[in-house]
Amino acid sequence: MPAAGVRSVADQYVALMRAGRLYALDALMSPDLVRVAPMETGGEPVERRGMAEVVENADRLLADVEIHAVDVDGPFLATGRFAVRFRFDQTHTPTGARTSTTKLSLYTVADGRIVREEVFYYDAPQAVQ
């Protein structure tokens, strides 16, 4: 059975995402968060370490993207971890191309905070450079 701490973090995370309160998510993240998202780096297994690197990467990916809606499914709980499926309805602003990107993120929780995020894309992110 999942630990209560994981359920609490997962429920808070999903509620904030559904409400569009992305900056409030920082309170749930460890300052030493590790994020692994190979499709954002051309397939290389690069890890982003620490909130500053994670935020810098998100800013890079979203610089030319307007997000119209985000569907959030989950959380899906496990011992020490949870997963969330996201579907983004977005427009690449330089071209005007409207697309959908689907990803699954697997989060590891320790001491009541998210310490690791592993990202699996169904549709490649549109702003990969």
Side-chain angles (χ1 to χ4, degrees), residues 23 33-44 46-65 103 105 117 119 121 125-129:
Y23 290 101
L33 175 71
V34 175
R35 185 171 193 271
V36 182
M39 288 187 75
E40 295 174 3
T41 61
E44 298 174 27
V46 175
E47 292 184 348
R48 307 286 180 193
R49 295 184 168 274
M51 286 302 297
E53 280 189 24
V54 170
V55 169
E56 180 182 310
N57 185 57
D59 289 346
R60 178 185 63 84
L61 289 172
L62 297 173
D64 294 332
V65 176
K103 74 173 187 171
S105 289
E117 177 186 15
V119 181
Y121 282 95
Q126 301 298 308
V128 172
Q129 300 175 10

Side-chain angles (χ1 to χ4, degrees), residues 4-80:
V6 173
R7 175 176 290 281
S8 176
V9 170
D11 288 345
Q12 289 176 64
Y13 185 90
V14 167
L16 290 168
M17 285 298 296
R18 287 185 176 138
R21 298 183 54 211
L22 305 182
Y23 290 101
L25 295 171
D26 288 355
L28 299 175
M29 306 291 190
S30 167
D32 300 321
L33 175 71
V34 175
R35 185 171 193 271
V36 182
M39 288 187 75
E40 295 174 3
T41 61
E44 298 174 27
V46 175
E47 292 184 348
R48 307 286 180 193
R49 295 184 168 274
M51 286 302 297
E53 280 189 24
V54 170
V55 169
E56 180 182 310
N57 185 57
D59 289 346
R60 178 185 63 84
L61 289 172
L62 297 173
D64 294 332
V65 176
E66 177 185 353
I67 296 177
H68 306 289
V70 180
D71 291 329
V72 181
D73 287 333
F76 305 100
L77 301 168
T79 302

Side-chain angles (χ1 to χ4, degrees), residues 39 87 100-103 121-126:
M39 288 187 75
R87 186 178 313 113
S100 177
T101 296
T102 302
K103 74 173 187 171
Y121 282 95
Y122 180 76
D123 306 297
Q126 301 298 308

Side-chain angles (χ1 to χ4, degrees), residues 71-114:
D71 291 329
V72 181
D73 287 333
F76 305 100
L77 301 168
T79 302
R81 300 189 292 177
F82 69 96
V84 179
R85 190 204 46 86
F86 302 93
R87 186 178 313 113
F88 299 91
D89 174 18
Q90 61 199 21
T91 297
H92 183 244
T93 53
T95 64
R98 192 162 180 165
T99 59
S100 177
T101 296
T102 302
K103 74 173 187 171
L104 178 80
S105 289
L106 176 63
Y107 301 95
T108 302
V109 176
D111 299 322
R113 294 186 122 181
I114 297 170

